[in-house]
Amino acid sequence: LLPEMALEGTYTKAKPGALRYFFYTFRFVFCLFLFLGSLIAWRQTGIGILPAMGVLFLVLAMISVLLEYGNSGLFANAEVIGMTCGGFGKNAFFIKTGKLEWASKKATLWKERRGFGTIEVGFLGPRAACVVRVRNLENGSYQELSRLAR
């Protein structure tokens, strides 16, 4: 590893209470409706492969959500910020603190009351890749990150 990427500090992962918020995604809701539609079509037509395909897509969506929950995390110290996110493809970002432009937290009212939010970080870099987002981390992670961003 490069010296800049040395992780000296605590790595904050998503807490177990945030797991249900990871299921509030388009891909999971779409697969859930696809499964329900396949059950209705199976009752109408009698084609047995439709529910099996609906279950397959629903299971893949659940695995993707669980992997995203397991891969979400944040690390920050005075020199570098490390963020990991993603479902089937885990992405790890290491950003020098000096290159950090802004940090923000977004949350719905219910997530805010429970102490969770989506953390976004903007940094100097190519326009297509200069924003990193990690979903459903606790508020303490954002407070530590905003303290470093100043």
Side-chain angles (χ1 to χ4, degrees), residues 73-77 80-85 93-106 117-135 137 141-150:
L74 174 77
F75 166 80
N77 64 19
V80 69
I81 296 167
M83 301 175 82
T84 58
C85 57
F93 300 93
F94 292 96
I95 306 161
K96 289 186 178 184
T97 309
K99 301 286 184 184
L100 187 65
E101 287 187 10
W102 54 269
S104 68
K105 183 182 71 109
K106 297 178 183 177
T118 298
I119 298 175
E120 288 185 345
V121 170
F123 57 93
L124 296 172
R127 192 172 187 93
C130 64
V131 176
V132 178
R133 181 178 67 161
V134 179
R135 297 178 54 222
L137 291 179
S141 301
Y142 173 70
Q143 292 166 353
E144 179 183 349
L145 185 64
S146 64
R147 179 182 52 83
L148 291 171
R150 293 183 184 152

